[in-house]
């Protein structure tokens, strides 16, 4: 499902216009992104948790030259599915 399909499904589910549903989706993404940018996590009970994790630097290999390289660490966003979401996916 892409963003356009999500907006359509959401608009139909809550009986609002696609424009209003698109505003909701965009706002949700913006709020979660801002929270993660501030180092906070976003927990939605039954759905999951969006958080920022620290990646350690690691060694890698340049596939063209076979030369060993150092891949820098850094902060990356991560999503951990909640119990209810996992159960729905499992079937």
């Amino acid at each position: 499902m892409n963003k356009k399909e999500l907006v359509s499904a959401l608009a139909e589910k809550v009986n609002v216009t696609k424009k209003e549903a698109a505003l909701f989706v965009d706002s949700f993404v913006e709020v979660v992104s801002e929270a993660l940018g501030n180092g906070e996590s976003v927990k939605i009970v039954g759905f999951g948790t969006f958080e920022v994790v620290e990646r350690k630097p690691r060694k890698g290999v340049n596939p063209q030259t076979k030369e060993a390289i150092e891949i820098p660490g850094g902060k990356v966003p991560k999503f951990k599915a909640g119990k209810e979401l996992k159960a729905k996916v499992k079937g």
Side-chain angles (χ1 to χ4, degrees):
M1 177 180 282
N2 62 28
K3 183 179 176 182
K4 187 176 181 181
E5 294 166 337
L6 175 62
V7 167
S8 293
L10 185 60
E12 190 176 314
K13 185 91 169 174
V14 295
N15 199 25
V16 297
T17 66
K18 287 183 181 180
K19 190 173 183 179
E20 291 170 322
L23 179 63
F24 173 79
V25 170
D26 290 340
S27 297
F28 176 80
V29 169
E30 187 177 324
V31 168
V32 170
S33 298
E34 286 174 2
L36 294 176
N38 293 331
E40 302 171 42
S41 64
V42 178
K43 297 176 185 173
I44 303 172
V45 176
F47 184 68
T49 303
F50 297 90
E51 60 188 346
V52 177
V53 294
E54 190 75 35
R55 247 195 211 165
K56 295 179 184 176
R58 62 191 196 277
K59 296 186 188 311
V61 177
N62 181 329
Q64 292 179 336
T65 64
K66 308 295 184 216
E67 180 184 341
I69 57 172
E70 183 73 20
I71 301 170
K75 294 180 180 181
V76 294
K78 178 182 175 183
F79 176 75
K80 182 178 179 187
K83 211 183 233 183
E84 291 176 31
L85 179 60
K86 286 180 184 177
K88 283 187 179 185
V89 170
K90 241 181 193 176

